[in-house]
Amino acid sequence: MKLDVALCFSLAAHTLATPTSTNYSPTNKRTSFDWHKTSSVIAFGDSYTFVQGALGRPNYTFIGDAFNLSFTPSQLFSNRIVLNQTSTAQGTAEGGPNWVEFLTKCGVKKGLTDPQTCKVQLWDFAYAGANTVSKVGFTPAHWNHTVSFEKQVQQFAQSGNPALEGIGLKKKDSLVAIWIGINDINDLAKLRGKNATFAPLYETVQGYVFESVEKIYELGYRNFLFMNLPPLDRGPSPSVNASLVKQFNAIQASHVDAFQSKHRDTTVLEFDVNTVLNRVLDNYKDYGFKNVTNFCPGYNKPDIRNNPSKYGCGEGLDTYFWYDSGHLGSRTHEVFTKELRKWLVKKSGRW
Ligand SMILES: *[C@@H]1O[C@H](CO)[C@@H](O)[C@H](O)[C@H]1NC(C)=O
Ligand SMILES: *[C@@H]1O[C@H](CO)[C@@H](O)[C@H](O)[C@H]1NC(C)=O
Ligand SMILES: *[C@@H]1O[C@H](CO)[C@@H](O)[C@H](O)[C@H]1NC(C)=O
Ligand SMILES: *[C@@H]1O[C@H](CO)[C@@H](O)[C@H](O)[C@H]1NC(C)=O
Ligand SMILES: *[C@@H]1O[C@H](CO)[C@@H](O)[C@H](O)[C@H]1NC(C)=O
Ligand SMILES: *[C@@H]1O[C@H](CO)[C@@H](O)[C@H](O)[C@H]1NC(C)=O
Ligand SMILES: *[C@@H]1O[C@H](CO)[C@@H](O)[C@H](O)[C@H]1NC(C)=O
């Protein structure tokens, strides 16, 4: 009975995105996470998180691809975040800056940004279309150039981390941001069919996620931010329903908790973006959205920002919650990132 209560509490804590204060242990000192002291964000994930790099594969990555995974420090530091004409997604998959750019304020301006010039540097190894692992018969790679989350971490261990160590990046002031699973849940639904039993598959996914997270831990990083799945069930053409999303997120939360319990010297944050976005959808008018069920058909046209009515999107791209059939719009990212930043400040305890 006691155990049940504890379990409920821990799930509730995630659902409500409220801080848990149970992680302090005087013998294994936790890092003192402080958003105001954070000097870099190192990001992994999929198209929700990728930013375009001058040395990246166009529309997929900041740097490299599966055919060209390694890079030298001088390549990394000569690379620039590209935010081009927002209309054709040249920069992100959201038609404008995305959450890691809004969070760090690195790369939000049109043109080229050198991450090293940002107050909070953004080093982004996410790959558009990535699954947690590229595995035939489970979650196959979308393309032969795809870099799965697992491979992103290998790439980081081989090339990214040594380069960042070379410029004296302070790991204790670095936040590792991970948002992965959107392609996994969609692909598993499509490949396994409606009658599959998904919980064991989601367990397997999270097992893979945290094998790789352990590798990042071993490199010396101690502050981790995990995002759960957005309300994919409320998208323009959903492959999953709300109960599958909820199940996936509960399984993710239990793995996040297990990682925190195993490593008392870390700060492990899980932002419940699902609850935040469901609230935005329920009260969309309060947030200036006009259309939360579909996307603007001309979303990827070069003149969409200047001439939205040409495509029947009179009120403009920023009034659409969804950018396309599978992505949140840039303004939606801006809206939830405001909440995320406030939450990170709240989580900045003196442990
Ligand atoms: C591999 O990527 C680097 C940048 O990371 C680039 O300079 C180089 O030209 C690429 N090589 C190939 C064969 O694409
Ligand atoms: C990137 O995506 C945009 C928008 O869909 C498209 O117009 C462009 O051709 C793509 N670029 C490449 C190199 O595939
Ligand atoms: C922006 O896009 C234009 C046209 O697609 C291209 O010529 C230009 O080089 C791009 N700018 C950057 C910074 O990539
Ligand atoms: C990758 O896939 C593309 C498109 O399917 C194909 O044209 C290309 O030859 C493949 N590259 C390799 C190295 O397999
Ligand atoms: C959600 O989808 C799963 C898998 O297809 C199905 O088993 C379940 O009954 C659905 N739940 C609801 C409430 O529709
Ligand atoms: C799924 O289960 C239902 C109810 O048992 C059955 O009628 C249907 O044929 C099954 N579908 C598949 C694709 O197995
Ligand atoms: C939302 O946008 C789609 C695509 O433009 C349109 O068909 C639909 O009527 C819009 N819905 C609302 C409520 O405006």
Side-chain angles (χ1 to χ4, degrees):
M1 186 60 194
K2 252 205 160 109
L3 196 66
D4 283 354
V5 171
L7 191 67
C8 285
F9 173 74
S10 116
L11 288 175
H14 281 287
T15 310
L16 302 172
T18 50
T20 51
S21 52
T22 51
N23 298 310
Y24 176 73
S25 152
T27 44
N28 293 305
K29 212 168 143 279
R30 251 180 104 167
T31 51
S32 52
F33 171 77
D34 185 344
W35 172 248
H36 294 301
K37 282 196 195 142
T38 299
S39 54
S40 64
V41 168
I42 298 173
F44 301 94
D46 54 33
S47 55
Y48 278 50
T49 303
F50 115 88
V51 300
Q52 187 63 59
L55 296 181
R57 189 180 182 101
N59 293 344
Y60 291 96
T61 192
F62 177 63
I63 193 162
D65 64 18
F67 299 120
N68 190 8
L69 206 56
S70 63
F71 50 82
T72 63
S74 62
Q75 284 170 330
L76 182 66
F77 300 128
S78 71
N79 198 12
R80 299 290 178 262
I81 298 170
V82 179
L83 191 74
N84 208 334
Q85 189 37 255
T86 48
S87 58
T88 51
Q90 289 183 57
T92 70
E94 286 75 38
N98 69 16
W99 72 289
V100 284
E101 292 171 323
F102 285 125
L103 182 62
T104 58
K105 302 189 171 117
C106 193
V108 284
K109 283 199 210 107
K110 270 191 198 166
L112 303 177
T113 301
D114 174 357
Q116 286 190 267
T117 63
C118 298
K119 198 167 158 249
V120 182
Q121 300 182 9
L122 173 60
W123 300 105
D124 193 330
F125 303 97
Y127 202 94
N131 278 302
T132 299
V133 296
S134 294
K135 214 179 179 75
V136 175
F138 188 66
T139 49
H142 286 191
W143 305 281
N144 56 11
H145 53 77
T146 300
V147 182
S148 66
F149 171 67
E150 181 188 36
K151 292 274 187 222
Q152 291 165 30
V153 173
Q154 281 174 22
Q155 178 193 43
F156 182 66
Q158 277 161 21
S159 301
N161 178 60
L164 294 174
E165 283 178 347
I167 57 164
L169 178 123
K170 285 189 191 139
K171 294 184 184 180
K172 73 174 176 54
D173 296 336
S174 184
L175 179 64
V176 174
I178 297 169
W179 199 357
I180 193 74
I182 294 158
N183 291 309
D184 301 66
I185 194 171
N186 285 334
D187 291 0
L188 286 168
K190 287 177 199 153
L191 293 169
R192 301 291 169 128
K194 291 209 178 306
N195 290 352
T197 304
F198 288 102
L201 300 171
Y202 300 163
E203 281 289 346
T204 302
V205 168
Q206 292 305 321
Y208 289 135
V209 169
F210 281 87
E211 269 176 34
S212 290
V213 174
E214 286 291 340
K215 291 187 180 142
I216 305 172
Y217 175 84
E218 281 160 21
L219 296 174
Y221 295 87
R222 292 295 177 266
N223 302 309
F224 293 87
L225 169 65
F226 295 93
M227 307 286 278
N228 64 6
L229 293 183
L232 297 169
D233 48 290
R234 296 174 80 173
S237 48
S239 312
V240 289
N241 60 27
S243 50
L244 289 182
V245 171
K246 201 173 161 198
Q247 189 174 47
F248 188 101
N249 283 346
I251 290 170
Q252 176 179 311
S254 73
H255 283 257
V256 170
D257 282 351
F259 180 74
Q260 173 70 90
S261 304
K262 185 173 170 194
H263 298 295
R264 293 284 167 177
D265 58 345
T266 58
T267 296
V268 182
L269 305 167
E270 187 183 32
F271 186 65
D272 186 1
V273 70
N274 182 279
T275 295
V276 170
L277 290 173
N278 269 308
R279 195 176 66 228
V280 173
L281 283 168
D282 290 343
N283 304 283
Y284 66 93
K285 285 180 185 152
D286 298 349
Y287 296 87
F289 292 109
K290 300 254 157 79
N291 195 318
V292 295
T293 52
N294 221 318
F295 56 92
C296 163
Y299 69 95
N300 62 353
K301 296 293 191 291
D303 57 346
I304 181 64
R305 292 246 172 220
N306 297 329
N307 200 0
S309 54
K310 185 172 161 190
Y311 305 97
C313 313
E315 314 256 28
L317 222 46
D318 284 343
T319 64
Y320 285 80
F321 182 90
W322 299 99
Y323 174 65
D324 61 16
S325 66
H327 296 97
L328 307 166
S330 175
R331 206 173 75 77
T332 309
H333 276 245
E334 189 174 19
V335 165
F336 82 71
T337 304
K338 268 187 198 147
E339 305 249 345
L340 170 60
R341 183 181 289 105
K342 271 191 261 171
W343 184 79
L344 288 172
V345 168
K346 245 200 275 177
K347 293 293 229 176
S348 302
R350 308 257 176 269
W351 297 95

